[in-house]
């Protein structure tokens, strides 16, 4: 897994010093929230879905769940997550460390509206034990997001 790749990429935005390499795993939303001491919803999980010419990387709040009808309406395809064998080849990162930074050309990043409840969120940084706290405008900029979408089910009210 390549936290070093993300470190080098984010250094171009002077954000590399904000990367947190953790002593424990952050491979799941629950583990990341525990390791970072934040609520699960603030973990910006990067979900990877198949598309004919690469993959869709959807960054959503940790408590958000995909709504298949909304996904199909937004992207014109059925929501099929990448299988474990496809993840690294199509996203540039192994499962547990998939992030929205410095991905291969065929990987298109979208940000889900479920994130907009928070001032800052915590996406992974290329490994199963790393994260960075970013505000939403910065996340949008450094992920080169294609835009904002609403493809998740209603999330729990705060």
């Amino acid at each position: 897994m390549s936290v070093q790749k993300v470190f080098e990429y984010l250094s171009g935005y002077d954000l590399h010093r904000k990367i947190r390499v953790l002593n424990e795993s952050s491979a799941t939303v629950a583990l990341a929230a525990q390791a970072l001491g934040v609520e699960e919803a603030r973990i910006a999980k990067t979900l990877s879905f198949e598309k004919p010419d690469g993959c869709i990387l959807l960054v959503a709040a940790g408590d958000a769940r995909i709504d298949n009808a909304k996904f199909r309406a937004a992207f014109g395809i059925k929501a099929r997550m990448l299988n474990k064998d496809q993840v690294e080849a199509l996203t540039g990162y192994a499962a547990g460390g998939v992030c929205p930074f410095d991905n291969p050309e065929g990987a298109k990043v979208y940000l889900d509206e479920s994130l907009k409840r928070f001032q800052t969120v915590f996406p992974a940084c290329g490994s199963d034990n790393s994260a960075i706290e970013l505000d939403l405008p910065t996340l949008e900029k450094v992920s080169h997001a294609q835009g904002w979408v609403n493809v998740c089910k209603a999330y729990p009210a705060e």
Side-chain angles (χ1 to χ4, degrees):
M1 294 193 228
S2 187
V3 71
Q4 183 61 36
K5 176 182 170 187
V6 175
F7 183 89
E8 291 168 9
Y9 174 76
L10 290 178
S11 69
Y13 297 94
D14 200 27
L15 293 169
H16 56 291
R17 289 182 211 85
K18 291 183 70 172
I19 294 174
R20 294 177 59 181
V21 177
L22 308 164
N23 292 326
E24 57 267 41
S25 176
S26 60
T28 67
V29 168
L31 290 172
Q34 183 177 15
L36 293 164
V38 300
E39 64 182 300
E40 290 185 13
R42 287 188 59 209
I43 301 303
K45 61 185 176 184
T46 304
L47 304 170
S48 50
F49 297 91
E50 293 181 13
K51 71 175 186 146
D53 58 344
C55 69
I56 293 168
L57 297 176
L58 179 70
V59 185
D63 62 349
R65 303 291 173 254
I66 298 300
D67 181 308
N68 290 322
K70 287 181 177 181
F71 189 95
R72 182 183 293 276
F75 297 112
I77 57 175
K78 184 176 180 177
R80 286 193 180 104
M81 292 194 72
L82 298 179
N83 67 48
K84 193 170 183 171
D85 295 333
Q86 297 172 300
V87 171
E88 191 165 1
L90 294 177
T91 71
Y93 303 97
V98 176
C99 67
F101 311 119
D102 199 25
N103 305 103
E105 190 173 314
K108 301 298 182 197
V109 176
Y110 294 85
L111 304 178
D112 187 76
E113 302 232 345
S114 60
L115 297 169
K116 289 187 173 181
R117 295 175 282 160
F118 308 106
Q119 293 295 314
T120 63
V121 294
F122 295 84
C125 287
S127 71
D128 63 0
N129 69 330
S130 64
I132 188 170
E133 183 176 13
L134 296 174
D135 62 42
L136 299 183
T138 302
L139 174 61
E140 186 173 13
K141 177 182 175 182
V142 301
S143 69
H144 298 286
Q146 303 296 300
W148 288 89
V149 294
N150 180 3
V151 297
C152 290
K153 296 177 183 177
Y155 39 82
E158 293 191 65

